[in-house]
Amino acid sequence: MSAALLPAVAAKPSGAAADLLRIVTINEQIKRVVGVSFKINIMALNAIFLAKRAGTAALGFGVLSNELRVFSRDLRNCMEALTGLIHDCVNEVSISLRNGRQDRLLAEVGQAGAAAALLGRVLQQRAAERDGHVRRLAALRRQLKRALDDAFQMVELGGVLAKSAKIEAAYGQSFAPSLAQVSGEFDGIVEEIRGSLEALRRSPFFAAH
């Protein structure tokens, strides 16, 4: 292999730097969803207490509040799993970036000396390794997208629970205004999470993959 061909082996663009920025953005959004899920848990505990005070008139509201508490726990667990996938993606992209820099340096060295043939073989081997990282990242990308889709479906269910709580609040007699306020807050927060996850599903990180 001639020295002139060495850069072609090392210069295959991967968009790794852009991917890294997109992954960081996704991770920040996931952190925000986790924070909001903690808020739902606290609100649900307060709602359960309020439903107990309201007595039999708010039994349905109490049941739904407990379900929303379970939802917040399941959502946190789901987000933790997503965070694990994000870390794996960051690792693969970081390796690709580091290897790309090293390959460019090797190619530049090869142009200057008689070791071009040897370096060419080294770069070919590294190119095969790079392709392996690309395949692993593609698999992680698909896993992350599926996990986001699952989380979105979970939040859709959370939205149904929140809207059902709004209906049940109307039967709370003298506690109805307080129950309605709490259920409205539930609904607003779940919609906020839904919007965040919908935006993540449209991330350029998943485009054309």
Side-chain angles (χ1 to χ4, degrees):
M1 179 179 292
S2 68
L5 293 179
L6 285 172
V9 176
K12 183 179 179 181
S14 65
D19 274 344
L20 187 58
L21 289 174
R22 291 162 182 161
I23 292 168
V24 169
T25 299
I26 291 172
N27 193 47
E28 290 304 311
Q29 287 284 353
I30 288 173
K31 286 180 181 178
R32 280 194 282 272
V33 171
V34 170
V36 174
S37 71
F38 274 108
K39 187 175 180 180
I40 292 176
N41 184 58
I42 294 171
M43 287 176 58
L45 286 172
N46 290 334
I48 291 169
F49 176 73
L50 184 61
K52 286 181 178 178
R53 287 180 58 200
T56 56
L59 283 177
F61 185 87
V63 170
L64 288 166
S65 296
N66 188 63
E67 288 299 317
L68 281 163
R69 186 185 178 200
V70 173
F71 159 71
S72 73
R73 181 199 63 201
D74 292 344
L75 182 61
R76 284 199 309 275
N77 291 339
C78 184
M79 292 299 104
E80 287 174 4
L82 283 170
T83 299
L85 288 172
I86 286 290
H87 289 167
D88 291 341
C89 288
V90 168
N91 184 57
E92 289 297 334
V93 172
S94 298
I95 291 173
S96 295
L97 285 170
R98 183 190 65 212
N99 288 351
R101 289 192 296 269
Q102 292 173 349
D103 289 349
R104 285 191 292 274
L105 287 172
L106 285 171
E108 291 171 5
V109 171
Q111 287 179 323
L118 176 60
L119 282 173
R121 288 193 294 273
V122 170
L123 286 172
Q124 283 182 324
Q125 181 179 356
R126 290 175 65 87
E129 293 173 357
R130 182 173 63 243
D131 289 342
H133 287 297
V134 169
R135 287 192 296 272
R136 283 192 288 275
L137 180 60
L140 286 167
R141 201 188 305 265
R142 290 191 295 270
Q143 282 183 264
L144 184 58
K145 181 61 167 61
R146 285 195 298 269
L148 277 171
D149 289 342
D150 290 344
F152 185 80
Q153 293 301 317
M154 183 186 300
V155 172
E156 291 277 84
L157 175 59
V160 172
L161 292 172
K163 286 176 171 56
S164 298
K166 289 175 73 174
I167 294 172
E168 287 294 330
Y171 300 101
Q173 297 178 359
S174 62
F175 284 86
S178 298
L179 297 176
Q181 180 180 350
V182 172
S183 61
E185 290 173 355
F186 275 137
D187 193 35
I189 290 175
V190 173
E191 282 301 309
E192 178 185 341
I193 295 173
R194 184 182 182 279
S196 295
L197 291 180
E198 181 61 42
L200 288 179
R201 294 167 78 202
R202 296 195 303 267
S203 168
F205 182 66
F206 303 113
H209 293 286

